[in-house]
């Protein structure tokens, strides 16, 4: 059985979507742990913080990622052929 994949045209949305999920989860986890320590209900607080963080992270990445790509292209040498 083969796995169905999204068409390539969705890569511009799929990449920031997945990146925002992972990065906001990690940052929210670290921030929550630093704020409350190993408190009771840590996981629930982390998940609540993650939800709010992701709501900001995904649209931010959609706006910022093209700018970052241009900055990187301007500062990194193209590979030699």
């Amino acid at each position: 059985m083969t796995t169905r994949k999204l068409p390539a045209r969705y890569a511009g949305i799929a990449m920031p979507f997945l990146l925002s999920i992972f990065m906001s989860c990690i940052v929210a986890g670290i921030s929550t742990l630093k704020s409350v320590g190993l408190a009771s209900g840590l996981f629930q607080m982390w998940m609540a913080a993650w939800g709010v963080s992701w709501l900001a992270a995904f649209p931010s990445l959609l706006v910022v990622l093209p700018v970052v790509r241009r900055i990187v292209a301007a500062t990194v040498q193209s590979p030699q052929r």
Side-chain angles (χ1 to χ4, degrees):
M1 183 166 132
T2 60
T3 303
R4 292 184 58 173
K5 295 183 178 183
L6 291 171
R9 69 179 180 269
Y10 292 110
I13 296 293
M15 199 280 284
F17 178 76
L18 293 172
L19 182 60
S20 66
I21 287 172
F22 290 117
M23 289 300 297
S24 62
C25 179
I26 293 165
V27 171
I30 292 168
S31 179
T32 304
L33 183 61
K34 187 171 179 353
S35 295
V36 300
L38 292 173
S40 176
L42 173 64
F43 184 75
Q44 290 80 9
M45 288 184 271
W46 177 14
M47 291 298 104
W50 182 19
V52 173
S53 297
W54 183 80
L55 286 175
F58 181 54
S60 297
L61 269 175
L62 291 176
V63 171
V64 172
L65 199 54
V67 175
V68 171
R69 284 185 177 132
R70 284 194 294 274
I71 293 169
V72 170
T75 57
V76 175
Q77 189 174 34
S78 298
Q80 298 289 327
R81 290 187 180 181

